[in-house]
Amino acid sequence: MTEVEALASAKATATRLGKAKRLNALLTPTTVVRKSLLAQAKEAHPSGVLYGMPVALKDNICTLEFPTTCGSKLLEAYQSPYEATVVTKLKDAGALIAGKANLDEFAMGSSTEHSGFGRVLNPVDRTRVPGGSSGGSAALVGAGAVPAALGSETGGSVRQPAAFCGVVGIKPTYGRVSRYGLVAFGSSLDQIGVLGRSVHDAARVLSVISGRDPRDSTCENRDPLRLPTVPERLEGFVIGIPKEYFPVDLNPGVRRACDRAIRALKDLGAAVRDVSLPHTPYAIPTYYVIAPAEASSNLARFDGVRYGNRADGVTTLAELYRQTRGTGFGPEVQRRILVGTYVLSSGYYDAYYKKAQQMRALLAQDFRNVFDRGVDLIFTPTTPTTAFKAGERTKDPVSMYLADCFTAPANLTGVPAMSLPIGRVKGLPVGGQFIGQPFLEDDMIEAAYALERAIDGTEEA
Amino acid sequence: MSASAWETVIGLETHVQLGTVSKMFCGCSTTFGAPPNTNVCPVCLGLPGALPVPNERAIQLAVRAAVALNCTVHPRSVFARKNYFYPDLPKGYQISQYDQPLATAGHLSFLSPDRGVVRAGIIRVHVEEDAGKSLHDRFPRATAVDLNRAGVPLIEIVTEPDFRSPQEARAYLLTLKQVLQYVGVSECDMEKGSLRVDANVSIRKAGSTALGVKCEVKNINAFSYVEKALTVERDRQVAEVERGGTITQSTMLYNSKTNTVRLQRSKEESKDYRYFPEPDLPPLVLSPEWIAEQQGVLPELPATKRERFVSQYGLNQQDAGVLTAERAVADYYESVVHAGAEPKSAANWVMGEVLGDAKDHQEQLRVPASSLAGIIALVKGGTVSNQGAKKVFAEVAAKGGDPRTVAEALGVIQVADTGILAQWVEEVVTAHPAEAARFKGGETKLMAFFVGQVMKTSKGKADPKAAPKLLEERLAK
Amino acid sequence: MSVTPEEVRQIARLAELSVDEEHLPDLAAQMSRIVDYIAQLSQVSGGENAKPFIPGPDAIRLRADVVAPQPLEGKLSDFAPAFREGFFLVPKLGAFEGAEEDEE
């Protein structure tokens, strides 16, 4: 690409972002993004592998160019004085940062209905949710405004919205991508992931942002992920189908789409085998102990002392804390902080937090047992349903939590996982999920490449 | 009941800043006294998205401290979050250690003023980060927060409740400070905040073995306040119980201006810190070889050095104690002896002139060890009197130089030349015929008078050891 | 209800969140719902013997002790809600405001 082409890409992106405005997926005003994209196109490194590629960033990733709000009123105008490692890597590769994407506040949610700045609409059906918490990122890619976007995962927040919006979403192995500059929600679960309109777009961005970072002690000391080649066939791959992800009452349309995908995998030469991950039903309760617990601590820094919107008229320290946090955080965030504080408090720690960590160990053992018996990859539906209607699950928090039941196990156990479109049900996208072995993302991506080529992901199942 | 019917039981928690150049979890400088909020970065400011990366030297110094305190160092320990809200705690939690600390089960022997040598049990040594500072008097209607200190590495040293008086607690602290300074872990300067102590105080009837309810005493900001604060708290508890009241577990703040303690927090309001393992840090794993290495580089510790000074240099316990109180002084003393000075003379000079000079000059040992050895040799050889040597010392301390050359320049070289001495002797004997007669008549103790006169006449230049011989010869005539 | 309004009040105080009295019952009901849901974990046994799972590297990689601060763009006053003479400001702390230490 030449600079002229990069500038053209910048302009075209700004136009597409403007057209997608009604989705409320981008928090950065279009005029601001446009100006920035043009300036970036002039400065971008022409030899970078992503030169001229516009990438939107979930707004919990710190940038110097735009505010970082985390979808919260508390951080409405917060300008980070440093940028996340992944942003530096993207820029070094010549990518253009195409603004900040809307999200559930502090990444807490599965529908992007809990943003402080309004909900995001699903580009396929605007009465439905795009999923969450990276709903803005998924919607922008789904709407064709950008070819790729960064999101973040704690319980499935990249894969689930990818499935709902009909795009590809990859969560790397925990420790594959630096978290430095990702505003922490559940530190032992968080990973930055990539949404892309194709496996290739998502994978090449993941390749760029991955790799060691001495500023993140939980990031493994490894080279960046090498992009695998697209395989012709999948001979030699052993793919496990876990029965716990195909319950009797699984949505029939989702089941049909999965069945078709599994047939395609067989046709490509993969061996398909039934397996079991027996502790799967406990993943969500486990997640909803550990994630809120870590969040309650991670969000303690939002106290109005050093940054963020301080509540007006406070005359005591207690008022400063309680009003700033009580009015700045939305109800879902407050609920999770309260639950997290509760499960860590003395008297409850053993029964909840310690118990959840034990369950986490059992879930990890489930995956080890399957992978140790010669299975390379696991294939499942990404979500139990297609995108639900806006407002359908906001009354009962637990019903919202259940949207993550197929995605959360990978976050809890650190393994890589990805979703790609495998069909539609009544016009709504269905995602198929590969779960891979730690640090063997390339197997997963290869299988996804092959499947993507073999089936039409937009075909009604 | 009198105070002696009560036994005081004290345990101490000491926080010591480790002598690193950068902070515990980030590369910011730890220098004391910088302008507010200038040694800060995303990590120690607690900005969203920042992450901790632990300092190798801090762990090294922590392990050395633990080994010097005879602890078991655990090859695997875990950092934990201690969650609470306070303006100078940027993240809303402190990264510390909880149920899997770096080291446990140690001890430190010290000399109690009441009971001889006491071995204080050390429950644990763990690593944590410091908080910033809140200044309440800087502005009239606001508290000012400076985060320069936030993130500085600390070790926390917790003792068993093994102290039986405020004086014992102080003696332990001084020994602890000495050991940690020796090992190079920390400056242990309470005024600069590199050593802070909180105490747990309880009382019980003399002879009882059960522990009474303990109260925590905080805000003891100087060594000189340790005894006072603990005495005040002990007295408060005794008075309360003798009044018929009971002690409730509380936190008391010491006020040095009024020498009182006041209630800060009672147990009902005690904080729930919700400790859990720090998810941003993997476990701290140290190989047994690395731990052994830290043991290997430990210097000779104060108690051992003191005993060696007694046996090797023939010093008494007290002098050996003074010379080994600080490692720098002990090393200096030994350098002076190795440069040829006689140990006892060297001891006197170091304890006297050297430490006196250091006190007035920011604790600097200004005279090089070899120069002091040279000065001592000049005195020994009679070249310079003690008085003269002190002048030489002062000059070398201020401006340097070779002792002999300086002595000559100052004109304090004693004259033992018989020719010149004989002139002074002649002058003095001629000037005091009555005393000369009395001397000849048998009052030999007048020799001291004559020597004094020779010194006076020579303005101190005469060698007082050579003068008597010449005086005798002259007086015999 | 597994979580009472009084408990919610206490937890909210620990978490420094203001909660209107009138919302307490609702919040208690929501929290009870969530706590009851996660309590099903107590029915499962065997976790004590499973190999503990810690994501990420097995051990800390220690950093050399050198002064190398990460740069900050702009000034602290750019984002500080209250800043004067180099200090962050908060309302003056009272005598009992949970101070760990009284400084200066």
Side-chain angles (χ1 to χ4, degrees):
Chain A
M1 201 188 269
T2 63
E3 188 178 317
V4 167
E5 287 164 326
L7 276 166
S9 165
K11 277 191 194 133
T13 304
T15 307
R16 289 193 305 264
L17 285 171
K19 287 211 177 102
K21 220 165 148 180
R22 76 176 98 184
L23 299 176
N24 196 31
L26 194 71
L27 289 174
T28 316
T30 328
T31 47
V32 173
V33 168
R34 190 188 158 84
K35 195 165 159 195
S36 176
L37 281 170
L38 291 171
Q40 288 180 56
K42 294 202 185 83
E43 300 292 320
H45 298 168
S47 52
V49 296
L50 298 179
Y51 181 58
M53 182 187 198
V55 179
L57 305 183
K58 186 175 183 181
D59 203 18
N60 60 354
I61 297 173
C62 290
T63 50
L64 293 168
E65 293 82 1
F66 311 107
T68 303
T69 71
C70 300
S72 179
K73 291 264 184 251
L74 209 157
L75 291 180
E76 189 163 2
Y78 173 67
Q79 188 67 51
S80 173
Y82 77 101
E83 71 182 11
T85 299
V86 294
V87 176
T88 310
K89 289 189 185 223
L90 282 175
K91 281 152 76 166
D92 286 347
L96 309 178
I97 309 300
K100 308 301 284 291
N102 203 353
L103 66 159
D104 280 304
E105 189 182 359
F106 286 106
M108 298 184 193
S110 306
S111 64
T112 317
E113 293 174 286
H114 288 119
S115 167
F117 307 113
R119 74 174 183 93
V120 174
L121 282 53
N122 189 320
V124 176
D125 175 344
R126 293 197 295 270
T127 67
R128 294 178 183 267
V129 301
S133 59
S134 311
S137 299
L140 288 173
V141 175
V146 285
L150 295 191
S152 74
E153 284 238 355
T154 310
S157 295
V158 162
R159 289 165 286 151
Q160 185 252 30
F164 280 12
C165 292
V167 300
V168 173
I170 310 182
K171 178 198 91 69
T173 315
Y174 184 89
R176 174 66 90 175
V177 174
S178 168
R179 291 188 296 119
Y180 187 76
L182 169 70
V183 180
F185 158 14
S187 314
S188 71
L189 304 156
D190 290 344
Q191 272 291 280
I192 292 175
V194 186
L195 295 111
R197 73 189 155 197
S198 66
V199 172
H200 186 61
D201 281 332
R204 55 201 273 254
V205 171
L206 179 62
S207 164
V208 164
I209 63 172
S210 61
R212 64 179 56 83
D213 183 6
R215 287 180 296 185
D216 175 4
S217 298
T218 61
C219 187
E220 293 253 350
N221 187 24
R222 288 176 186 253
D223 293 337
L225 181 66
R226 285 194 35 209
L227 211 53
T229 49
V230 182
E232 291 285 331
R233 311 256 314 145
L234 292 179
E235 254 87 20
F237 275 80
V238 178
I239 299 180
I241 311 295
K243 62 180 190 219
E244 291 82 8
Y245 288 66
F246 293 88
V248 163
D249 56 356
L250 181 64
N251 178 298
V254 171
R255 183 185 293 275
R256 280 194 306 274
C258 287
D259 287 344
R260 188 180 65 177
I262 293 168
R263 273 197 306 278
L265 290 168
K266 283 183 185 161
D267 290 343
L268 284 164
V272 169
R273 205 190 282 182
D274 287 333
V275 296
S276 174
L277 295 165
H279 295 93
T280 305
Y282 297 104
I284 293 292
T286 303
Y287 175 79
Y288 278 99
V289 170
I290 296 175
E294 293 180 0
S296 70
S297 179
N298 284 326
L299 267 60
R301 68 189 64 200
F302 299 106
D303 56 11
V305 172
R306 290 145 289 125
Y307 47 83
N309 284 339
R310 183 184 286 199
D312 289 326
V314 294
T315 54
T316 68
L317 186 67
E319 270 174 29
L320 169 62
Y321 288 151
R322 293 170 196 175
Q323 303 290 0
T324 297
R325 294 160 60 78
T327 57
F329 289 140
E332 179 63 27
V333 170
Q334 293 197 34
R335 243 193 316 267
R336 297 210 191 187
I337 291 175
L338 291 171
V339 170
T341 308
Y342 181 87
V343 302
L344 287 176
S345 63
S346 74
Y348 294 121
Y349 179 91
D350 284 355
Y352 292 104
Y353 188 79
K354 195 162 159 195
K355 192 77 193 171
Q357 293 289 19
Q358 287 172 356
M359 179 54 67
R360 196 172 180 179
L362 289 172
L363 286 160
Q365 197 173 80
D366 279 0
F367 279 105
R368 266 201 307 277
N369 288 342
V370 168
F371 289 130
D372 285 349
R373 285 180 179 77
V375 169
D376 300 304
L377 293 171
I378 291 166
F379 182 80
T380 79
T382 307
T383 55
T385 67
T386 52
F388 43 88
K389 289 242 188 232
E392 193 180 300
R393 301 199 185 184
T394 46
K395 303 244 174 356
D396 175 17
V398 175
S399 70
M400 185 71 83
Y401 297 165
L402 292 171
D404 293 332
C405 61
F406 296 156
T407 49
N411 304 89
L412 286 164
T413 57
V415 293
M418 65 181 289
S419 176
L420 67 157
I422 57 169
R424 302 239 162 158
V425 175
K426 300 199 187 102
L428 296 174
V430 177
Q433 171 174 244
F434 285 107
I435 304 175
Q437 301 183 63
F439 299 103
L440 294 180
E441 286 90 343
D442 39 4
D443 280 352
M444 192 174 74
I445 293 169
E446 276 185 36
Y449 269 140
L451 183 61
E452 183 186 51
R453 227 174 32 173
I455 61 169
D456 179 353
T458 60
E459 197 183 309
E460 192 69 22
Chain B
M1 270 198 243
S2 69
S4 57
W6 297 102
E7 184 174 52
T8 315
V9 176
I10 298 171
L12 294 176
E13 271 174 34
T14 312
H15 289 91
V16 175
Q17 279 183 1
L18 301 174
T20 58
V21 300
S22 68
K23 293 187 179 182
M24 185 67 222
F25 295 115
C26 66
C28 288
S29 167
T30 54
T31 45
F32 183 80
N37 292 305
T38 50
N39 287 338
V40 292
C41 76
V43 179
C44 55
L45 281 171
L47 295 189
L51 292 170
V53 184
N55 180 328
E56 178 171 41
R57 179 112 181 115
I59 302 299
Q60 199 178 54
L61 293 177
V63 170
R64 290 182 189 178
V67 170
L69 296 173
N70 303 292
C71 295
T72 303
V73 176
H74 301 292
R76 188 175 187 279
S77 65
V78 170
F79 284 103
R81 291 191 185 179
K82 179 180 182 182
N83 297 281
Y84 65 95
F85 286 84
Y86 199 64
D88 59 32
L89 191 69
K91 296 186 292 294
Y93 59 86
Q94 177 197 30
I95 301 180
S96 176
Q97 295 189 296
Y98 184 55
D99 56 359
Q100 293 183 73
L102 178 72
T104 51
H107 55 86
L108 180 65
S109 295
F110 68 98
L111 188 62
S112 159
D114 319 315
R115 306 187 272 159
V117 173
V118 171
R119 180 188 261 209
I122 292 184
I123 300 174
R124 57 188 280 148
V125 175
H126 73 246
V127 182
E128 58 185 31
E129 57 176 348
D130 210 343
K133 275 185 155 177
S134 298
L135 311 178
H136 305 297
D137 297 321
R138 173 98 186 191
F139 302 111
R141 276 178 302 280
T143 287
V145 178
D146 173 15
L147 297 176
N148 281 347
R149 200 182 67 177
V152 168
L154 296 178
I155 43 173
E156 180 174 327
I157 301 165
V158 182
T159 72
E160 301 274 9
D162 283 347
F163 310 108
R164 295 287 169 271
S165 69
Q167 293 70 26
E168 269 197 3
R170 182 169 184 275
Y172 157 83
L173 278 174
L174 289 171
T175 306
L176 177 68
K177 172 178 158 143
Q178 186 191 31
V179 168
L180 294 177
Q181 282 176 333
Y182 255 66
V183 179
V185 164
S186 170
E187 278 180 19
C188 295
D189 184 339
M190 277 186 89
E191 267 72 31
K192 283 194 183 157
S194 55
L195 187 147
R196 281 168 249 157
V197 63
D198 298 326
N200 285 312
V201 180
S202 65
I203 56 171
R204 61 185 178 196
K205 296 228 180 74
S208 163
T209 49
L211 287 173
V213 174
K214 64 182 178 188
C215 292
E216 197 182 5
V217 182
K218 298 174 92 84
N219 204 42
I220 305 170
N221 288 336
F223 267 102
S224 50
Y225 300 149
V226 171
E227 247 180 84
K228 290 182 187 161
L230 298 180
T231 305
V232 160
E233 172 57 18
R234 191 264 319 274
D235 291 348
R236 180 192 77 83
Q237 290 192 19
V238 169
E240 179 64 33
V241 172
E242 291 190 342
R243 240 200 317 272
T246 52
I247 307 297
T248 39
Q249 195 170 326
S250 329
T251 301
M252 312 297 293
L253 284 183
Y254 177 67
N255 182 325
S256 55
K257 292 195 191 79
T258 57
N259 196 36
T260 55
V261 288
R262 66 164 174 84
L263 179 68
Q264 185 202 51
R265 186 166 61 234
S266 68
K267 187 171 191 223
E268 290 76 58
E269 301 157 34
S270 71
K271 292 191 166 177
D272 179 358
Y273 293 115
R274 289 156 279 132
Y275 285 98
F276 68 101
E278 170 58 80
D280 288 333
L281 294 173
L284 179 64
V285 176
L286 307 170
S287 72
E289 294 78 35
W290 191 84
I291 297 172
E293 217 180 284
Q294 304 319 310
Q295 170 98 56
V297 303
L298 275 199
E300 185 183 35
L301 293 181
T304 313
K305 197 184 285 283
R306 188 181 63 241
E307 292 308 315
R308 180 170 65 78
F309 275 23
V310 166
S311 61
Q312 186 173 343
Y313 301 119
L315 303 173
N316 63 43
Q317 280 281 350
Q318 183 155 340
D319 289 353
V322 172
L323 290 171
T324 56
E326 281 175 48
R327 188 176 158 194
V329 174
D331 290 348
Y332 177 84
Y333 169 75
E334 292 205 274
S335 301
V336 175
V337 172
H338 289 152
E342 192 272 319
K344 291 221 173 73
S345 308
N348 289 333
W349 272 91
V350 172
M351 290 191 295
E353 299 305 301
V354 173
L355 289 185
D357 181 72
K359 202 162 151 199
D360 296 330
H361 295 96
Q362 294 97 38
E363 305 306 325
Q364 286 175 68
L365 306 173
R366 297 199 296 163
V367 173
S370 52
S371 302
L372 181 58
I375 294 173
I376 294 171
L378 287 175
V379 175
K380 204 121 213 109
T383 312
V384 176
S385 70
N386 240 352
Q387 288 298 93
K390 286 182 183 173
K391 290 188 184 144
V392 173
F393 179 91
E395 184 70 17
V396 173
K399 301 197 191 119
D402 163 67
R404 172 103 210 179
T405 315
V406 169
E408 280 167 7
L410 289 175
V412 296
I413 303 280
Q414 286 184 143
V415 179
D417 179 293
T418 40
I420 304 172
L421 258 183
Q423 283 176 23
W424 287 324
V425 163
E426 184 59 39
E427 224 181 287
V428 161
V429 171
T430 322
H432 300 283
E435 286 82 359
R438 283 164 58 195
F439 183 87
K440 275 198 271 210
E443 284 186 50
T444 51
K445 60 184 190 303
L446 282 171
M447 175 53 69
F449 165 74
F450 279 109
V451 173
Q453 287 302 309
V454 167
M455 295 308 294
K456 198 167 153 193
T457 306
S458 70
K459 294 191 176 53
K461 289 209 164 99
D463 184 349
K465 294 205 259 309
K469 184 158 178 283
L470 287 175
L471 278 165
E472 261 180 43
E473 282 174 15
R474 175 65 184 76
L475 286 164
K477 289 191 190 140
Chain C
M1 266 205 303
S2 24
V3 183
T4 63
E6 176 52 37
E7 271 190 297
V8 176
R9 197 183 282 118
Q10 283 168 17
I11 298 288
R13 209 172 25 232
L14 263 184
E16 296 290 353
L17 286 172
S18 67
V19 180
D20 289 336
E21 281 296 313
E22 61 206 45
H23 292 147
L24 269 181
D26 265 346
L27 201 43
Q30 284 173 17
M31 286 198 49
S32 296
R33 166 96 175 96
I34 297 168
V35 166
D36 288 343
Y37 174 70
I38 61 186
Q40 60 181 285
L41 290 177
S42 60
Q43 290 150 24
V44 188
S45 60
E48 318 78 43
N49 303 320
K51 182 172 153 211
F53 174 73
I54 299 173
D58 290 331
I60 284 176
R61 272 187 327 267
L62 293 167
R63 165 183 61 87
D65 182 32
V66 289
V67 176
Q70 288 164 42
L72 293 165
E73 285 270 319
K75 305 188 297 291
L76 297 178
S77 50
D78 291 343
F79 52 74
F83 201 77
R84 195 166 13 137
E85 294 172 30
F87 294 95
F88 295 101
L89 298 185
V90 296
K92 177 99 88 162
L93 267 60
F96 288 90
E97 286 192 88
E100 289 301 297
E101 291 173 45
D102 266 348
E103 302 271 359
E104 322 222 351

